[in-house]
Amino acid sequence: MEVVIVPGSKQIGKLAADAIEALLRRKPQAVLGLATGSSPLPIYDELAARHERDGLDFSQAHAFALDEYVGLERGHPESYREVIRREFTSRVNITPENVHNPDGSAADIPAACSSYEEAMHALGGVDLQILGVGTDGHIGFNEPGSSLASRTRIKSLIEQTRRDNARFFNSMAEVPHHVVTQGLGTIMEARHVMLVATGAQKAQAVRDFVEGPVSAICPASVLQFHPHATVLLDEAAASSLKLADFYRHTYDNKPGWQGL
Ligand code: F6R
């Protein structure tokens, strides 16, 4: 796991966009894994700017979203299908049919989850997965207690996550209780995972998953087993890390050719 600590989210956006740009230049038909929430927004802003300014080309790329609420009607502005479209995919030239979302309104949710996994496999799997982390250590919507080998499936949200996400709705009561999410086993198959965390409210979760034991109580800790995991943090999110100075030293002395 590589931990990179930078002053703020602008630098995180640039670093992550550099990695995604390098991937798209080397593999124009790359498969991107997209997260929603606040953490990835600086990355999406930077990618949209590079598309606009430099013509960064997404025309052959594919994208798979991590998760979706269950129970929101199609087109609901806070459904993750809409959020991804609004915040990112409508701002670049990715083909809309190449953007895949778990179907939280399917009549047969288990069948829809299996088809989602099959679609990912058919395209050769995810090349680069963007992740945020919940204050309880979730990735995707794999809440504490999730199987470390889980696949795409329906899950219940913990109350803390519903509270954290209530800011996107008119009231807590509107936040769905159920979601469909890629599993931890699914996420672990991405060839490169890049997790972004900013702000002091994430410091404990970051400390737990980077330096704590691998355990289902902290789902993001499974990334310690990933062969290519990058953790991009601002100073506040990194503030509880024991080895912060070592991570800084390592990154500062990293050969430029290595990239992320
Ligand atoms: C959303 C997702 C979640 C969020 C996490 C952090 O697609 O996968 O795991 O990344 O809840 O959310 P923010 O970034 O809003 O703090």
Side-chain angles (χ1 to χ4, degrees), residues 161-175:
T161 303
R162 293 188 62 244
R163 261 195 302 278
D164 288 345
N165 287 6
R167 68 190 191 277
F168 297 114
F169 293 84
N170 294 318
S171 70
M172 172 93 174
E174 285 182 20
V175 185

Side-chain angles (χ1 to χ4, degrees), residues 35-40 66-67 80 132-134 138-141 167 202:
T36 30
S38 308
S39 307
L66 268 178
D67 40 20
Y80 281 178
V133 63
H138 71 232
I139 50 175
F141 273 139
R167 68 190 191 277
K202 297 291 174 71

Side-chain angles (χ1 to χ4, degrees), residues 33 35 39-40 66 129-133 139-140 187 193-197 223:
S39 307
L66 268 178
Q129 175 67 57
I130 299 169
L131 296 172
V133 63
I139 50 175
I187 292 168
V193 298
M194 196 174 266
L195 186 150
V196 176
L223 298 178

Side-chain angles (χ1 to χ4, degrees), residues 25 48 72 152 174 220 222 245 248:
R25 294 203 187 280
L72 295 184
T152 303
E174 285 182 20
V222 73
D245 286 343
R248 283 194 192 90

Side-chain angles (χ1 to χ4, degrees), residues 11 16 42 54 59 63 74 77 82-83 88 90 94 101 123 136 140 176-177 183 226 235 249 257:
Q11 291 89 344
D54 315 324
S59 61
R74 247 184 203 264
E82 282 304 304
V83 174
F88 180 47
S90 66
I94 192 166
N101 297 80
L123 286 165
D136 62 1
H177 287 267
H226 197 286
E235 291 289 348
H249 172 82
W257 56 263

Side-chain angles (χ1 to χ4, degrees), residues 147-187:
S147 157
L148 301 184
S150 49
R151 313 300 309 185
T152 303
R153 69 218 183 289
I154 190 165
K155 287 291 286 178
S156 295
L157 291 180
I158 277 182
E159 283 306 284
Q160 178 61 43
T161 303
R162 293 188 62 244
R163 261 195 302 278
D164 288 345
N165 287 6
R167 68 190 191 277
F168 297 114
F169 293 84
N170 294 318
S171 70
M172 172 93 174
E174 285 182 20
V175 185
H177 287 267
H178 293 102
V179 290
V180 171
T181 180
Q182 287 186 32
L184 295 171
T186 318
I187 292 168

